[in-house]
Amino acid sequence: MAGLLYSVSMSLDGFIAGPGGDLSWLTPLLPPPGGEPNPLTEEIGALLIGRRTFCGDDAYRDTEGEGEAFGGGWSGPQIVLTRRPPPAPVPGVTFAGDLDTAVRTAREAAGGRLVNVLGADVARQCLAAGVLDEVLTCVMPVLLGDGVRLFDAPGSDPVALEPVAVHRGRYSTDLRYRVRRG
C-alpha cells in the first residue's frame, strides 16, 4: 500500500504561506524550473491535494513552471479533495468529495509509490484520520513574521514524530519525520 507523505516548504519561523496564502516569498528561494532535480519526485506516484492549494497561489508564477507540480519537475495523477469540483474536467486531475475516497484513489493511482499530500488542511485531515505516514518540511532561509502556520490546530493533541532524515541542501534544510502511531 502506498504511504502518504506531507511535504511542505516553510519559513524558519513556521509559516508555509504569507498572509492570504501568498507564496511569492518562496519564488526566489526555489530552484529554477527545469534546473536541479528534486530527489523527492522520484518517490512520488500520485499527489493528494487540497482545493485551496490546487486553486491557490503558485510559487512558480510568471515562470515556465507555473501551474505544474514542482514547477514542472513531476507529472502524474493528481487527486484533489473538494466538495466543489469545477464544472469542466481538468486533464490529469481527479476530484474526490471525501477524504476516504481521495486517499483510496490516490493510493491506487500511486502504484505502490508515495502519495505526496499538498495542502495544510488536507494534511491535518489525514493526520486526524490516522492515514498520514510521514512529514517532510523543507525549511527555507527566510523569516516571514505572519501568514499560514505549518500546523495550526488549536485544542488538538500533540502529534508525535520520529526523525527519519535531515538533509542540508542548496535551497533548504529538509527535515523528514515518521508519524508515530499509538
Side-chain angles (χ1 to χ4, degrees), residues 71-150:
W74 182 87
S75 64
Q78 299 181 39
I79 293 74
V80 177
L81 176 60
T82 182
R83 290 188 185 98
R84 299 178 324 271
V90 178
V93 178
T94 301
F95 295 91
D98 64 86
L99 184 65
D100 290 339
T101 301
V103 168
R104 185 178 60 256
T105 303
R107 281 185 167 150
E108 290 169 3
R113 298 170 80 196
L114 279 178
V115 172
N116 189 186
V117 176
L118 300 175
D121 187 55
V122 72
R124 276 192 299 274
Q125 290 179 56
C126 288
L127 270 171
V131 297
L132 191 69
D133 300 300
E134 293 184 89
V135 177
L136 172 64
T137 304
C138 303
V139 181
M140 309 304 282
V142 65
L143 298 169
L144 293 182
D146 191 13
V148 178
R149 292 220 165 266
L150 171 67

Side-chain angles (χ1 to χ4, degrees), residues 32-84:
E36 188 175 311
N38 181 339
L40 176 62
T41 59
E42 297 300 317
E43 298 180 57
I44 299 171
L47 301 180
L48 172 56
I49 312 166
R51 171 136 178 139
R52 277 192 301 251
T53 299
F54 182 73
C55 295
D57 199 5
D58 187 342
Y60 285 98
R61 185 179 348 134
D62 299 328
T63 73
E64 63 188 62
E66 182 174 2
E68 302 294 327
F70 295 92
W74 182 87
S75 64
Q78 299 181 39
I79 293 74
V80 177
L81 176 60
T82 182
R83 290 188 185 98
R84 299 178 324 271

